[in-house]
Amino acid sequence: MPTFASFDGLRLNYTVWEGDAAHRPVLLQHGFAADTNANWISTGVVAALRSAGLTVISLDARGHGRSEKPHDEACYTDDSMARDVSALLDELALDEVAMVGYSMGAIIALTATAADKRIRCLATGGVGSGIVDFGGVDLRVVKPADIASALLAEDPSTVPPSGVPFRLLADATGGDRRALAAVALASKESHLDLSSIGVPTLVLAGDQDQLAAEPERLAAAIAGARLVRIPGDHMTAVMSPAFSEALVAFLSAPHPR
């Protein structure tokens, strides 16, 4: 698996599946405590995009997957993961991409799209009005401190209920729980200027996903964005064939270049 040095020297892992040249490449960014395999390969998303002839690139975020995993919270602040996206585009000498992000990856994708004009098309999944109200994770559902407590707890029975899914996912993917706790604690409430996003945008949301509540508010905050509801909750919506079908239809459609 290839790696590259990001803007601060941290080495990150990425994967490229070559497709045809008829469409711009698609860059995938996974969710918190997941990685390329858990979020995109095992769910069938990569296979669906490749079947449509698309070139697919997936980045393991810092602290995740095969990328380096510092335990210092400071390594995850100041939009570092969005800056990693731009650094990867530099590394691959890409002039334009479409970007797809899920959950944490959607926050990264929105932030990167607002800052980097090479991202010409955007699809988000697993987020909703939490982006509008808090600039990131929906604090009405789960707080970063509870996620960190769940990850660092020696006794799993003491894990805060809202943090249980993240502890289970981290253990299932073999994640570095100290690094992931640092990622969670670096997450701060902020304001994301969604009005600065002017590219074609698709908002995908599971109809039982608490972390993607009121996705219509997110879609309304991005000019021209389209909302598609998918069966499932936060962990299962991305596995639904409807998720991949909506992505393929959106990314294969002609968009302004």
Side-chain angles (χ1 to χ4, degrees):
M1 299 293 181
T3 65
F4 74 104
S6 193
F7 66 93
D8 58 355
L10 204 68
R11 295 209 69 84
L12 306 180
N13 182 87
Y14 66 96
T15 308
V16 179
W17 294 270
E18 295 288 350
D20 61 43
H23 302 92
R24 59 174 63 96
V26 179
L27 173 59
L28 305 177
Q29 184 65 77
H30 62 76
F32 180 78
D35 55 19
T36 291
N37 181 66
N39 210 144
W40 304 123
I41 298 176
S42 66
T43 58
V45 172
V46 168
L49 296 176
R50 294 189 69 199
S51 292
L54 296 162
T55 291
V56 182
I57 305 160
S58 185
L59 174 63
D60 277 350
R62 56 180 58 208
H64 296 73
R66 294 183 175 88
S67 292
E68 286 195 77
K69 304 174 182 65
H71 293 169
D72 183 355
E73 184 181 330
C75 293
Y76 304 101
T77 57
D78 299 326
D79 294 334
S80 57
M81 292 185 180
R83 295 175 68 188
D84 291 335
V85 169
S86 293
L88 179 57
L89 298 186
D90 291 342
E91 172 73 15
L92 298 177
L94 291 172
D95 295 326
E96 59 174 5
V97 295
M99 186 161 188
V100 180
Y102 195 82
S103 192
M104 177 192 78
I107 300 168
I108 296 167
L110 287 159
T111 304
T113 302
D116 196 319
K117 301 305 181 187
R118 291 173 292 183
I119 302 172
R120 308 285 183 84
C121 186
L122 171 67
T124 68
V127 291
S129 61
I131 299 291
V132 179
D133 295 334
F134 306 108
V137 66
D138 195 328
L139 300 178
R140 292 161 297 211
V141 179
V142 63
K143 293 178 171 53
D146 288 341
I147 296 174
S149 294
L151 291 164
L152 296 174
E154 293 297 330
D155 181 358
S157 68
T158 66
V159 168
S162 62
V164 168
F166 301 96
R167 172 66 177 255
L168 292 174
L169 181 58
D171 289 344
T173 60
D176 183 324
R177 290 192 282 113
R178 286 184 61 195
L180 293 171
V183 174
L185 292 172
S187 172
K188 306 296 182 187
E189 184 176 346
S190 63
H191 172 69
L192 181 55
D193 183 12
L194 298 172
S195 67
S196 66
I197 297 176
V199 301
T201 300
L202 174 67
V203 175
L204 297 166
D207 57 9
Q208 302 297 316
D209 187 352
Q210 291 184 316
L211 285 169
E214 300 179 304
E216 66 277 3
R217 290 183 55 209
L218 173 59
I222 301 173
R226 183 165 63 90
L227 169 64
V228 175
R229 295 182 185 273
I230 303 296
D233 59 22
H234 195 67
M235 297 298 178
T236 62
V238 69
M239 304 176 189
S240 169
F243 187 95
S244 293
E245 288 166 9
L247 264 187
V248 168
F250 176 69
L251 296 171
S252 299
H255 296 298
R257 299 188 79 91

